[in-house]
Amino acid sequence: MVDVIPEPLDVLSHGDGFFELDAGTGLVAGEGAERTERWLRGALGAATGLPLPPGGSADDNVIRLCVDPAVTAELGAEGYRLTVAPTGAQVAGGGPAGLFWGAQTLRQLLGPDAFRRAPLPGGSRRLPLCRLQDAPRFPWRGLMLDVARHFMPKEGVLRYLDLMAAHKLNVFHLHLTDDQGWRVRIERYPRLTEVGSWRPRTKFGHRASPLWEEKPHGGHYTQDDIREIVAYAAERHITVVPEIDVPGHSQAAIAAYPELGNTDVIDTASLTVWDTWGISPNVLAPTDNTLRFYEGVFEEVLELFPSEFIHVGGDECLKDQWRASPVAQARIKELGLAGEDELQAWFVGHFAKWLSARGRRLIGWDEILEGGVAEGAAVASWRGYGGGIAAARAGHDVVMCPEQHVYLDHRQADGADEPVPIGYVRTLEDVYRFEPVPPGLDESQARRILGTQANLWTEVMEDHARVDYQAFPRLAAFAEVAWSALPAPAERDFAGFERRMATHYRRLDALGVAYRPPAGPLPWQRRPGVPGRPIDGPPPNR
C-alpha cells in the first residue's frame, strides 16, 4: 500500500515484496542530482545508520538518482518517476526539483522511522515494490509564517523549511515586519531592529483579552541568518519570499524612525512598538523621505532574497491620519488623485515600478487592487475569492489564500477545549475540500492562478508548539490540495485521505510535530481562560 501524502498522480503498479536496504546499498547520482544526493544521504543515513556509499557500476542494491529529459517532456521540471524493484530503486526527475520531490516520496515509502534522526532497533530499512509517476498541479505551493507578531528563532524557521519540504511545498512567505515587530537587520537603518524588534509586553489571547504577558518580547534575524535561511531553503527547492509591509502595519518602523510617520498629525516620537493586536492607525507618511527610506530597505532586501517576487503587504492601511494630514492632502492634490485610496495605490505603485526596474515583481494583499494596481504586480487574495477573481480578470497573476479556508490560525473545532479559538471552524476535511481555482473564470483567466498558500498568523501562537498545533495536520491536507490532481471538492476521497493520514501521523510523531490529535487537544495544548474570537456558522464562500 502506497500511503503517500500528497497523493501521487499515478501509481502504475504496486506488487508484493520489498527492496531491502543494507550496509552495501549504494546511492548513485547522475548530473543535476547533487543536491538531492546530499540531502537523501544525510536524511536516510541518519535514520537507518547505513553509509549509503556512492556505489559503482553494479545494477543491483543501489538507489539511483537522475534527471531525465523524458520525464521533463511528460511531467515537467517538478515531475518525477519512482521505481522500486527487488534489486534496487530509481528516482528520475524532470529537473533537480522534481528529483528532490521524488526523493521525498521515497523517504515516505521507507516508513515513519525514516523521519527520525537516529536508527531505532529493528527499524524499517525496506521499500515496497512500486512504480509511480507524479507532478504538481500548481507551481506556487506556499506557506506564510508570521514572525512579526511572535518571533520564531532561526532554528525554528529551518525546521519549518524541512516540514515544508516533506510535504512538497515550495514557497515560504516570510512575514518580517508589522506593527508589533521588525525582524530583519537593515544595516543602514540599525534602529529598525535595535528599537523596532522589541515590544515591552504582549497581549495574551485575542485583542479584547484582559490578559497580558508582562515581559519584553522580540528578536530579529541578522543578515547572515537570512542568508542561511535562504540557502537552506534553496537546498530544498523552496523559494523564500520576504514581506516588508507598506504603507500600513508599520508602527514598529515608525517607533524606530519617527520621521516616517505623519508628524503633522500626531507626536510620532512618543510611539513605541505596538503591544496589542489589531490594525494600528499609525501608518507611513506619503513623503519623498519615506520613499527614499524604504528604497534603502528594499535595496538590502534584494541583496538577501533572490526571489522573483517581493511582498509589500499593502493591506489594512487605515487612512484617518492621511485625511487629517495637510502633507498627505497636498500630495493627493499634487498628484491629481481622487482620494486616499488612490494615494495608497500610488505608494504601492511606486515600489512596483522600482522593483520592476531591478528585475523583480511586486506581490501584495488584495487591497492593492483598490485605486488601481501596477502592471505586472501579482495579488495574494486573502479576503475571500473576490480579489483573486478581479485580479485574474484584469490580467494579474494570483495566489489564492482566502482567510475563510486556509488561514490556519482559525480554530479546528468548536469544542470548549480548543485553545484560544479564532475565526471560523476549519476542520481537516474543510481544508481538504478547499478549491484554489474559483468558478467563473475562463481558461486564460484560470491560468493566472499561480497556486495557493496557507497562512499562519501568530498573534495567539506564542511558541513553535502552538504553531505546530495550528498547522498540523491541516497543512498535510493543504499540501495535497496544492500538489495533487484532485477531483471537485465534493467528490474528493476524504476517507482515503484519513486512511493515509494514519501512517502520516506516525511520520509527524517521528519529526516531533506537536499536531492536533484527531480526538482533540491534549491537556498541555489547551489554553483555559484565554479569550479568543470565535465566529459561528460556516464561512462565506465568496
Side-chain angles (χ1 to χ4, degrees):
M1 191 171 290
V2 181
D3 288 333
V4 173
I5 289 177
E7 185 175 31
L9 181 65
D10 290 304
V11 178
L12 302 175
S13 65
H14 179 234
D16 296 328
F18 298 89
F19 164 49
E20 301 277 353
L21 282 67
D22 57 33
T25 302
L27 182 60
V28 179
E31 184 177 352
E34 297 82 6
R35 276 192 281 179
T36 297
E37 178 193 20
R38 187 162 52 242
W39 174 83
L40 189 61
R41 181 173 287 111
L44 296 193
T48 65
L50 299 176
L52 300 174
S57 59
D59 291 330
D60 292 351
N61 202 20
V62 294
I63 299 171
R64 295 189 180 278
L65 307 174
C66 65
V67 173
D68 185 346
V71 177
T72 315
E74 184 174 348
L75 298 172
E78 286 196 280
Y80 66 89
R81 288 200 184 101
L82 190 157
T83 303
V84 182
T87 55
Q90 176 173 286
V91 185
L99 180 64
F100 181 72
W101 305 132
Q104 291 288 348
T105 297
L106 184 143
R107 186 190 193 189
Q108 288 197 22
L109 293 174
L110 199 55
D113 288 349
F115 290 80
R116 297 191 179 275
R117 297 184 184 179
L120 299 183
S124 173
R125 296 180 177 181
R126 62 186 193 176
L127 291 164
L129 304 185
C130 63
R131 288 180 61 234
L132 59 85
Q133 63 182 19
D134 202 5
R137 180 184 179 191
F138 293 109
W140 186 301
R141 306 179 301 280
L143 174 69
M144 188 225 70
L145 180 64
D146 167 22
V147 296
R149 272 52 174 266
H150 275 102
F151 179 64
M152 181 177 284
K154 180 191 70 178
E155 291 76 12
V157 172
L158 300 180
R159 173 176 175 266
Y160 257 81
L161 289 169
D162 280 330
L163 291 173
M164 288 180 64
H167 293 82
K168 299 184 176 74
L169 299 172
N170 69 339
V171 178
F172 183 49
H173 172 176
L174 192 55
H175 183 82
L176 287 164
T177 74
D178 218 295
D179 299 307
Q180 296 85 3
W182 185 287
R183 304 296 180 213
V184 56
R185 172 80 176 182
I186 302 297
E187 298 297 343
R188 73 187 72 184
Y189 304 128
R191 286 176 58 83
L192 286 172
T193 45
E194 291 170 359
V195 174
S197 70
W198 290 93
R199 59 177 181 262
R201 62 177 186 168
T202 298
K203 176 69 72 172
F204 196 30
H206 182 252
R207 62 179 174 269
S209 168
L211 305 176
W212 293 90
E213 186 177 36
E214 297 285 353
K215 68 177 184 180
H217 176 85
H220 73 276
Y221 308 111
T222 68
Q223 294 204 349
D224 281 345
D225 290 338
I226 293 293
R227 293 184 182 100
E228 181 182 356
I229 288 167
V230 169
Y232 195 85
E235 279 284 300
R236 287 145 183 81
H237 297 277
I238 296 170
T239 299
V240 184
V241 174
E243 181 177 355
I244 306 293
D245 269 288
V246 297
H249 287 291
S250 297
Q251 184 165 325
I254 298 168
Y257 291 92
E259 65 272 20
L260 297 174
N262 295 283
T263 57
D264 57 342
V265 176
I266 64 163
D267 177 15
T268 57
S270 67
L271 294 177
T272 61
V273 178
W274 216 25
D275 60 8
T276 191
W277 315 128
I279 308 172
S280 170
N282 296 300
V283 303
L284 298 174
T287 64
D288 290 341
N289 174 67
T290 302
L291 297 180
R292 301 293 89 77
F293 182 97
Y294 272 86
E295 286 171 1
V297 169
F298 282 116
E299 283 177 4
E300 295 193 25
V301 167
L302 296 191
E303 291 175 0
L304 295 171
F305 296 93
S307 55
E308 175 186 3
F309 289 97
I310 303 295
H311 206 298
V312 302
D315 62 314
E316 297 180 329
C317 179
L318 301 180
K319 302 182 176 65
D320 293 344
Q321 290 183 358
W322 286 356
R323 292 186 186 98
S325 165
V327 170
Q329 293 302 310
R331 170 117 307 178
I332 289 171
K333 183 176 180 181
E334 169 199 339
L335 296 170
L337 304 177
E340 290 77 20
D341 284 348
E342 288 193 6
L343 182 62
Q344 178 175 342
W346 165 80
F347 199 112
V348 172
H350 172 87
F351 288 103
K353 295 172 186 173
W354 188 91
L355 289 168
S356 179
R358 288 153 182 81
R360 307 297 186 94
R361 292 179 66 188
L362 179 146
I363 184 170
W365 303 111
D366 55 59
E367 285 95 330
I368 69 172
L369 292 166
E370 298 166 4
V373 60
E375 182 179 355
V379 172
S381 185
W382 76 273
R383 293 181 297 179
Y385 287 112
I389 292 171
R393 287 175 173 166
H396 295 280
D397 289 336
V398 176
V399 176
M400 279 293 184
C401 48
E403 64 169 332
Q404 303 93 333
H405 300 279
V406 290
Y407 268 33
L408 300 185
D409 48 308
H410 283 213
R411 58 193 173 132
Q412 302 185 61
D414 59 4
D417 288 337
E418 204 65 26
V420 199
I422 299 296
Y424 295 103
V425 172
R426 293 286 85 192
T427 65
L428 182 66
E429 182 172 0
D430 290 330
V431 174
Y432 191 68
R433 298 194 188 279
F434 164 62
E435 173 50 49
V437 179
L441 298 180
D442 64 28
E443 185 177 343
S444 65
Q445 293 164 352
R447 285 198 297 270
R448 288 290 184 178
I449 309 298
L450 299 177
T452 184
Q453 179 172 290
N455 293 344
L456 284 166
W457 300 102
T458 61
E459 285 95 332
V460 300
M461 300 182 216
E462 69 276 9
D463 55 34
H464 84 271
R466 282 287 290 124
V467 175
D468 280 5
Y469 180 91
Q470 293 301 133
F472 290 98
R474 293 182 297 180
L475 192 64
F478 172 81
E480 186 147 309
V481 168
W483 175 279
S484 303
L486 299 177
E491 300 167 9
R492 293 177 187 172
D493 182 10
F494 180 68
F497 175 76
E498 281 192 304
R499 176 188 56 73
R500 286 180 287 119
M501 277 301 300
T503 300
H504 200 65
Y505 283 120
R506 294 172 57 208
R507 299 182 189 120
L508 297 178
D509 287 334
L511 288 165
V513 176
Y515 59 83
R516 181 189 190 274
L522 299 169
W524 63 268
Q525 292 174 320
R526 299 165 189 161
R527 296 292 186 275
V530 181
R533 184 183 63 93
I535 303 175
D536 293 331
N541 191 24
R542 62 174 187 270

